[in-house]
Amino acid sequence: MKFKFIDQQTFGDDYTVVYVLGGPGAGKGTQCANLVKDFGFVHLSAGDLLREERQREGSQYGDLINNYIKEGKIVPAKITIALLENAMAKSPSKRFLIDGFPRKMDQAKKFERTVCKGKFVLFFDCPESVMLERLLKRGKTSGRVDDNIESIKKRFVTFKETSYPVVEYFEKQNKVKKVSCVNSPQKVYAETKAIFKDLFDAEEKAKKAASAVKN
Ligand code: C5P
Ligand code: MG
């Protein structure tokens, strides 16, 4: 039996967690796939994990998750955090892109307190008109219960009222890297890649300098 102290993170400083935020349809998933290839991250999408759990036979949360997703509301923090923590524990990696999370202040605070501290937030900034167009197009083939105009409108409201404050919270800590998403996926990725390269090159240099001092 593994006991856990309440205010202690499961994963320590040797873990790199980057939160990937942005409204629905901003292109988070697409850009994460690129980052996985170039920077060796494991991509964990909170929405995908919730959809998997909804489908899992014997899940006690299937109906609840489905209702929250259809309504564009945020699923209770403890469910999403447990799914993310399990996925991190199962993975051999220590570098994670956590896509679509945290989407509410209680998720942010609980995850940072009990699972792992995020290094920074990659925020994809996108006007609603662009997101709407993308989601309606995606809805033709995605089979998602929430890619329809009624659900999309609700998701936009949730994003503004509930999720954007999380971006502002991390902005106050100087932890947000913002990328505009109106351009083509290739252009958006070029900008994203440059940010990651700068950050991780700087980290690599600092590590080398620290080990040079030691030796
Ligand atoms: O990120 P994605 O668009 O796949 O999320 C789909 C839905 O999953 C959200 O609209 C919300 O209902 C739920 N979700 C959540 N908490 C998260 C991520 C997603 O409740 N952190
Ligand atoms: Mg997604």
Side-chain angles (χ1 to χ4, degrees), residues 28-29 45 48 51 99 138 144:
K28 304 183 290 290
S45 153
D48 287 350
R51 282 183 286 271
D99 160 5
R138 183 174 84 182
R144 280 179 52 156

Side-chain angles (χ1 to χ4, degrees), residues 132-178:
L132 177 65
E133 198 182 311
R134 288 183 188 163
L135 291 170
L136 289 175
K137 191 168 164 210
R138 183 174 84 182
K140 289 183 187 158
T141 53
S142 69
R144 280 179 52 156
V145 296
D146 58 350
D147 282 344
N148 57 75
I149 189 73
E150 292 78 27
S151 294
I152 292 169
K153 278 188 194 154
K154 292 176 184 167
R155 290 158 74 196
F156 284 166
V157 172
T158 300
F159 178 71
K160 261 194 265 174
E161 291 179 356
T162 311
S163 305
Y164 194 70
V166 176
V167 178
E168 291 175 317
Y169 169 76
F170 285 112
E171 232 160 25
K172 282 192 202 120
Q173 302 175 25
N174 276 327
K175 278 187 167 181
V176 177
K177 305 281 167 201
K178 198 193 290 199

Side-chain angles (χ1 to χ4, degrees), residues 28 46-48 50-51 68-69 72-75 80 100-101 103 107 144 146 155:
K28 304 183 290 290
D48 287 350
L50 287 167
R51 282 183 286 271
Y68 274 85
I69 289 182
K73 288 199 300 200
I74 304 302
V75 174
T80 314
F101 179 95
R103 290 262 254 281
Q107 292 186 341
R144 280 179 52 156
D146 58 350
R155 290 158 74 196

Side-chain angles (χ1 to χ4, degrees), residues 169-208:
Y169 169 76
F170 285 112
E171 232 160 25
K172 282 192 202 120
Q173 302 175 25
N174 276 327
K175 278 187 167 181
V176 177
K177 305 281 167 201
K178 198 193 290 199
V179 177
S180 161
C181 279
V182 287
N183 289 319
S184 68
Q186 291 80 356
K187 276 200 183 148
V188 174
Y189 187 56
E191 206 179 310
T192 305
K193 189 175 177 179
I195 289 172
F196 269 64
K197 221 175 158 305
D198 276 357
L199 281 167
F200 292 110
D201 281 356
E203 202 171 76
E204 215 37 53
K205 262 191 209 149
K207 261 191 216 154
K208 273 190 195 140

